[in-house]
Amino acid sequence: MKYPYSQQFRQSLVEWFHREKRDLPWRRTKDPYKIWVSEVMLQQTRVDTVIPYYHRFIEKYPSIEALAYADEEELLKMWEGLGYYSRARNLQSGVKEVVEKYGGIVPNNRHDLQQLKGIGSYTAGAILSIAYNLPEHAVDGNVMRVLSRVLHITEDIALPKTRKTFEKAVEQLIHPEYPGDFNQALMDLGAMICTPTSPKCLLCPVREYCVSFMEGDADQLPIKSKKTKVKNEYYYVYIAVNDGKVLFERRHSDGLLANMWQFPMIFVEKSPEETGKSFEKTYNVKITKVLEEDFFEQKHVFSHLIWNLRCHLVEVKEIGPLGDMVQFVTLKEIEELPLPVPMIKIKNFLKQYIFKPLE
DNA sequence: AAGACGGGGCG
DNA sequence: CGCCCAGTCTT
């Protein structure tokens, strides 16, 4: 498929970008490693969220070697609150492979890049076009939205195969001399003009080449199916105190929130009494006193499930060995560990309302 | 192709 | 409350 206005389209788009582009921290470098870090952080995550994380991360891990040899728990702590924590581990795994296999030089071809953990079609294209100025497509949700409108593509963007349609389109459209600017221009256009709802077509630099603007149905695109059905899960969370410390555990090394730390949680399937027994049995402790029942309730929404948490403050004594992943820690020690957001919220509530008044 | 995988912002 | 966000990996 040849597009009649490719030449004018790419020129208008890139000229607009050179005038209006956002000043973002990762746009002040051509270091492939730093571009890589930014692109991984930006996966499914907003620019405004990423900026402070990016600064802290690059300060702590300024080079590919620094990250390759970083402590994994510290790395997770740096990622705390960003979500999709496997991104952090995959990034380090990829970085290690580059150090060992490529002498610390980030590969400059799609094949080798996509072999690295955490680098898919999009991220490979972003690194190649932005850091190495190579004419490679970098198609994300943003680009699919913009091009679905410009080219009036009505395929369902929720389907994996649809991305290939857009990748082929970008191969035709991409600016051969400014491929990185072209790709970033599509993203900035998507962020600033061609927004998901109420696109600002009258301010758009490429509206004269936009089929949807002509048809007047830009707000109807892209077509996206797939609504996710999330399931509810109910847990009791036990703040189990013993001698000024609380029971704390590390989650399993794979699956949801892998290797993150949490207060003990018991899946609720039976009565409150049964759940309490289950807690004692699971952690080899005996509840000696119930200090506060249901002192904090929280609903936490993930993309695929909902946690409904009810917190209880209890006093316990050990009646057997704690598991490998379990230990008593002070509130201060908790600050050093990587926690998922729902646990951070519980910890902050404790500091504010439960332990603070005791000091 | 579909589900797992976080968290926040916005209408 | 549902949708979306500079996606990738696993099944």
Side-chain angles (χ1 to χ4, degrees), chain A residues 243-300:
Chain A
D243 192 27
K245 299 183 173 189
V246 298
L247 206 54
F248 220 49
E249 72 174 334
R250 193 172 61 197
R251 292 178 61 88
H252 191 74
S253 62
D254 51 47
L256 182 64
L257 303 171
N259 284 343
M260 305 287 282
W261 288 79
Q262 65 181 14
F263 297 102
M265 291 171 57
I266 298 295
F267 190 78
V268 177
E269 43 189 350
K270 300 175 188 162
S271 67
E273 293 76 28
E274 292 295 309
T275 309
K277 292 295 173 205
S278 176
F279 164 66
E280 292 180 313
K281 192 170 157 72
T282 304
Y283 294 93
N284 268 329
V285 295
K286 170 85 180 145
I287 296 176
T288 54
K289 195 177 194 178
V290 177
L291 299 170
E292 290 277 1
E293 222 159 16
D294 266 347
F295 71 88
F296 188 56
E297 249 181 86
Q298 194 190 344
K299 175 195 277 250
H300 189 79

Side-chain angles (χ1 to χ4, degrees), chain A residues 6-17:
Chain A
S6 316
Q7 180 66 35
Q8 295 96 314
F9 172 79
R10 70 169 67 101
Q11 185 170 334
S12 297
L13 182 65
V14 169
E15 280 175 5
W16 170 83
F17 179 71

Side-chain angles (χ1 to χ4, degrees), chain A residues 87-101:
Chain A
R87 288 184 295 175
R89 295 209 308 179
N90 288 340
L91 175 60
Q92 188 181 32
S93 165
V95 155
K96 275 183 172 168
E97 185 168 348
V98 169
V99 168
E100 290 161 11
K101 191 167 167 184

Side-chain angles (χ1 to χ4, degrees), chain A residues 26 35-46 49-58 78-79 82-83 87 91:
Chain A
W26 45 88
I35 305 291
W36 183 0
V37 170
S38 73
E39 290 302 337
V40 172
M41 285 186 169
L42 286 161
Q43 287 166 10
Q44 295 292 284
T45 311
R46 285 189 166 66
T49 306
V50 166
I51 290 174
Y53 281 90
Y54 174 81
H55 284 304
R56 287 195 296 268
F57 196 94
I58 293 299
M78 295 301 289
W79 211 268
L82 249 193
R87 288 184 295 175
L91 175 60

Side-chain angles (χ1 to χ4, degrees), chain A residues 102-164:
Chain A
Y102 301 107
I105 308 299
V106 178
N108 64 353
N109 65 85
R110 183 175 287 275
H111 174 81
D112 289 347
L113 274 178
Q114 289 195 214
Q115 299 299 111
L116 301 170
K117 273 288 198 308
I119 298 188
S121 179
Y122 164 77
T123 304
I127 293 172
L128 292 169
S129 63
I130 298 170
Y132 291 120
N133 211 38
L134 294 169
E136 295 282 343
H137 56 73
V139 173
D140 63 350
N142 227 330
V143 171
M144 288 197 281
R145 180 177 63 257
V146 172
L147 291 186
S148 73
R149 290 169 178 170
V150 173
L151 305 175
H152 208 273
I153 293 171
T154 56
E155 292 176 55
D156 182 356
I157 66 166
L159 300 177
K161 64 169 183 176
T162 300
R163 204 193 62 233
K164 299 187 195 308

